[in-house]
Amino acid sequence: MSFETLGITGIEAIAPDSENSTIPENFIAPLLKKYQKIIVLFDNDEPGINSAVKYQSKYGFNYINLKMSKDLSDSVKDFGVTAVKEMLFPLLKQAL
């Protein structure tokens, strides 16, 4: 929903049950064939950052740490769409 609010289209969001669990390789393998790039965007807290680093190490995925509120939807709520776009879009471009 936050992507839609930010006007981000043409992407697919997939989330594990929790940031403390890892999406299994048998689920990741088809995604690697389907997409040119996969970027991780977890919560801006210790578990989220640690999990993002784990996905980078295990699968080679770039990750974004949006240093605003705890997560993307809270950032939109706390700072507004324009401020989040100004922070997020350069991070997305860099991760691509």
Side-chain angles (χ1 to χ4, degrees), residues 6 39 68 74 78 96:
L6 293 166
I39 300 169
M68 295 180 92
D74 283 349
D78 296 343
L96 290 171

Side-chain angles (χ1 to χ4, degrees), residues 2-50:
S2 295
F3 289 144
E4 188 175 305
T5 300
L6 293 166
I8 300 172
T9 60
I11 66 168
E12 190 172 339
I14 300 167
D17 292 332
S18 87
E19 291 170 345
N20 295 317
S21 63
T22 304
I23 297 173
E25 289 184 37
N26 66 332
F27 189 84
I28 295 289
L31 298 176
L32 291 169
K33 291 177 183 173
K34 183 176 180 181
Y35 298 106
Q36 293 177 350
K37 198 70 154 179
I38 296 175
I39 300 169
V40 175
L41 173 62
F42 285 141
D43 290 353
N44 180 34
D45 59 10
E46 189 175 345
I49 294 166
N50 289 341

Side-chain angles (χ1 to χ4, degrees), residues 15 51 65 69 93:
S51 291
N65 181 14
S69 297
K93 187 179 263 189

Side-chain angles (χ1 to χ4, degrees), residues 29-86:
L31 298 176
L32 291 169
K33 291 177 183 173
K34 183 176 180 181
Y35 298 106
Q36 293 177 350
K37 198 70 154 179
I38 296 175
I39 300 169
V40 175
L41 173 62
F42 285 141
D43 290 353
N44 180 34
D45 59 10
E46 189 175 345
I49 294 166
N50 289 341
S51 291
V53 169
K54 181 171 63 174
Y55 277 83
Q56 184 179 50
S57 175
K58 184 170 183 153
Y59 297 118
F61 298 160
N62 289 340
Y63 68 90
I64 293 172
N65 181 14
L66 184 62
K67 297 178 183 180
M68 295 180 92
S69 297
K70 183 179 183 279
D71 59 30
L72 182 60
S73 62
D74 283 349
S75 296
V76 171
K77 182 178 72 175
D78 296 343
F79 295 95
V81 170
T82 301
V84 173
K85 282 183 174 183
E86 288 173 356

